[in-house]
């Protein structure tokens, strides 16, 4: 097994350091990642987070670990702005679209899966839903109350943060101080049932207008946002497991509250490694629907966005996101993804040349050291940009061998080809659908020729021919986009 010869280090948000990974059970990995709340189209930033953990999942499999990857679907619809009071996100969207809440859940769960399939994600081992685990969540609440860390008030149940902090550390993950949090938090309307302002909901009483509700020992209601992940992670991975992941924005309060709930109910620290993926920005600014600085994953494929000059294949979009380390901020722009497309094409063209290389009785390239560098990159907290740099070095080997400037034995050539294929396809998750990529490349080539002909026609003021090219392409579903940088297209 490869994992026996590879010392993997992972950055642990809990300690703030890279630590050598040693699973609780040798040869087995248990990983839980917080999934989407399915009330809208999946956000590109969310895709970036899930992509990071898809690569991590793939690398564990590549190393030979038996990996159980659990990623949930939040279909209860926690409260707007993730506070204890307000309107349920799914219920609000159901009201706006005049649909049943579960129609909203189904619609956007399908969208989520469709987008991830296009990006060539591996499905998780288990994909549980919050609504499918109401009983488990109620049982955890009952245990927290029995252990003295939860209290019922007016049909709702809250977690007593101050009581918990007497013998535990609420803030151990985020580095926050409970006294400072209490001092800086003003009481707000609707929090009168709480003993302390930092207490969070384990179970909320359902008001008459709240559609999604379940019976409980405390009356009709619905679970708190943090509770579902505690219930589902421990049910499928045990009271203690290896890795819990999610976006950086979930570190507090969501993951902090998960730790508190686990320790308060079971008395055990639940997770060894906490991992957090960083955010994705657009043209140097935070993505926001309200400001219009936003792009959906599907718009990248079609190019139907004012931020893009053309559409890009899912492979290129995936490759672009992997060029930054998962803990680094990644800025999306048209220029950046265009540059990534050139690099991706260079990588794919190099792979095609391997079959043309002639073998020799000697190797003048150190293939073994190069292969070791590829593993060292991934063993250093899944450093995909360094891995990609090493893969380009492998493609440089291919080019010099193809030009007969270096020689290689059949054994080393096999290692070179196998390593490139394993890391590009199996670990980074680039799709092997080469025929589709070739067809896309040919189509783009033909359209670019027609764009050149149209540009010549416009330069010669032959407006009739210019319009004819544009209109005939439009009939085929190909839209030309004239801009400052020239003419792009979508299809």
């Amino acid at each position: 097994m490869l994992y026996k010869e590879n010392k993997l280090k992972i950055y642990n948000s809990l300690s703030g350091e890279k630590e050598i990974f040693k699973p609780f059970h040798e040869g087995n990995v248990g990983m839980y990642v917080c999934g989407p709340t399915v009330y809208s189209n999946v956000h590109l930033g969310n895709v970036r987070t899930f992509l990071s953990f898809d690569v991590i999942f793939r690398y564990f499999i590549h190393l030979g670990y038996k990996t159980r990857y659990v990623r949930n679907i939040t279909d209860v619809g926690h409260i707007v702005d993730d506070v204890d009071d307000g309107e349920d996100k799914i219920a609000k969207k159901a009201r706006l679209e005049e649909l049943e809440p579960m129609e909203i859940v189904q619609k956007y769960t399908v969208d989520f899966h469709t987008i991830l399939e296009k990006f060539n994600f591996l499905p998780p081992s288990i994909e549980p839903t919050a609504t499918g685990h109401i009983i488990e969540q109620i049982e955890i609440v009952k245990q927290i109350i029995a252990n003295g860390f939860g209290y019922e008030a007016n049909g709702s149940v809250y977690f007593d943060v101050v009581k918990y902090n007497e013998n535990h550390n609420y803030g151990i993950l985020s580095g926050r101080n409970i006294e400072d949090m209490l001092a800086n938090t003003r009481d707000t309307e609707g929090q009168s049932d709480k003993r302390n302002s930092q207490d969070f909901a384990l179970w909320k009483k359902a008001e008459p207008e709240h559609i999604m509700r379940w019976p409980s020992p405390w009356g009709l209601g619905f679970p708190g946002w943090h509770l579902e992940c505690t219930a589902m992670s421990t049910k499928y991975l045990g009271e203690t497991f290896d890795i819990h992941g999610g976006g950086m924005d979930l570190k507090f309060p969501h993951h902090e509250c998960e730790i508190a709930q686990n320790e308060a109910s079971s008395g055990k620290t639940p997770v060894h490694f906490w991992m957090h993926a960083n955010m994705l920005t657009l043209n140097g600014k935070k993505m926001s629907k309200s400001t219009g600085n936003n792009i959906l994953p599907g718009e990248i494929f079609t190019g139907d966005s004012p931020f893009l000059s053309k559409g890009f294949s899912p492979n290129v979009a995936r490759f672009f996101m992997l060029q930054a380390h998962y803990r680094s901020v990644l800025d999306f722009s048209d220029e950046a993804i265009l540059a990534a497309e050139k690099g991706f094409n260079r990588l794919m063209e190099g792979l095609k040349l391997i079959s043309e290389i002639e073998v020799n009785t000697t190797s003048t390239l150190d293939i073994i050291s190069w292969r070791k560098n590829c593993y060292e990159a991934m063993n250093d907290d899944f450093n995909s940009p360094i891995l990609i740099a090493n893969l380009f070095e492998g493609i440089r080997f291919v080019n010099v061998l193809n030009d007969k400037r270096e020689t290689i034995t059949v054994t080393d050539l096999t290692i070179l080809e196998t390593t490139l294929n394993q890391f590009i396809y199996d670990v980074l998750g680039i799709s092997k659908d080469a025929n589709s990529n070739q067809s896309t490349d040919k189509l783009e080539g033909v359209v670019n020729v027609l764009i050149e002909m149209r540009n010549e026609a416009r330069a010669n003021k032959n407006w009739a021919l210019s319009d004819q090219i544009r209109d005939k392409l439009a009939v085929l579903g190909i839209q030309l986009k004239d801009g400052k940088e020239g003419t792009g297209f979508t299809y």
Side-chain angles (χ1 to χ4, degrees), residues 137-346:
Q137 293 177 73
I138 290 173
E139 289 301 311
I140 290 174
V141 176
K142 288 162 66 175
Q143 190 62 52
I144 290 173
I145 293 173
N147 291 345
F149 299 109
Y151 58 92
E152 188 269 339
N154 193 28
S156 295
V157 181
Y158 296 97
F159 189 95
D160 192 334
V161 171
V162 172
K163 174 71 173 176
Y164 170 80
N165 204 57
E166 289 176 1
N167 296 302
H168 300 81
N169 184 1
Y170 184 76
I172 189 171
L173 180 65
S174 60
R176 302 189 183 207
N177 181 281
I178 182 65
E179 287 78 16
D180 292 341
M181 285 189 276
L182 290 169
N184 294 329
T185 304
R186 295 177 296 176
D187 288 332
T188 57
E189 186 179 353
Q191 290 186 334
S192 57
D193 290 336
K194 295 183 180 182
R195 292 176 183 171
N196 307 287
S197 57
Q198 288 299 315
D199 292 354
F200 56 89
L202 297 169
W203 186 266
K204 285 293 290 180
K205 176 184 178 181
E207 300 302 328
E209 67 274 10
H210 200 97
I211 302 172
M212 303 181 81
R213 54 176 65 205
W214 291 265
S216 78
W218 317 283
L220 289 173
F222 55 96
W225 168 34
H226 316 301
L227 190 61
E228 62 178 277
C229 289
T230 294
M232 289 184 278
S233 62
T234 55
K235 175 170 182 175
Y236 297 110
L237 298 174
E239 291 180 335
T240 55
F241 55 95
D242 299 303
I243 295 172
H244 193 315
M248 194 75 75
D249 57 319
L250 298 180
K251 186 183 289 187
F252 186 90
H254 186 50
H255 291 162
E256 195 76 70
C257 292
E258 278 193 66
I259 293 174
Q261 288 170 161
N262 274 280
E263 293 188 345
S265 60
S266 71
K268 296 179 180 178
T269 300
V271 181
H272 186 182
F273 285 87
W274 284 91
M275 298 180 67
H276 293 94
N278 216 322
M279 65 187 296
L280 185 145
T281 57
L282 177 59
N283 292 323
K285 298 178 182 177
K286 183 179 179 180
M287 283 200 189
S288 170
K289 290 181 182 178
S290 59
T291 62
N293 194 55
N294 185 56
I295 185 170
L296 291 173
E299 293 171 342
I300 297 174
F301 309 147
T302 64
D304 188 18
S305 167
F307 299 109
L308 293 173
S309 58
K310 68 185 195 74
F312 298 89
S313 74
N315 264 344
V316 168
R318 183 180 179 104
F319 182 73
F320 162 75
M321 286 192 273
L322 291 173
Q323 288 183 309
H325 189 267
Y326 77 90
R327 286 192 290 112
S328 301
V329 174
L330 172 62
D331 187 51
F332 184 96
S333 68
D334 188 55
E335 294 79 9
I337 195 168
L338 279 168
E341 184 178 50
K342 290 179 180 178
F344 174 78
N345 289 338
R346 186 155 55 93

Side-chain angles (χ1 to χ4, degrees), residues 81-93:
D81 296 326
D82 304 331
V83 295
D84 289 336
D85 296 274
E87 190 170 8
D88 179 293
K89 290 180 177 180
I90 290 174
K92 179 180 180 181
K93 196 61 175 284

Side-chain angles (χ1 to χ4, degrees), residues 11 34 65 78 82 99 115 127 139 160 165 213 219 224-225 231 243 263 281 283 297 307 315 351 366 416 452 473 475:
Y11 181 85
C34 295
Y65 284 107
H78 51 264
D82 304 331
L99 296 170
I115 291 297
E127 192 172 53
E139 289 301 311
D160 192 334
N165 204 57
R213 54 176 65 205
W225 168 34
I243 295 172
E263 293 188 345
T281 57
N283 292 323
F307 299 109
N315 264 344
L351 278 180
D366 189 352
L416 175 62
E452 288 179 14
L473 285 173
V475 170

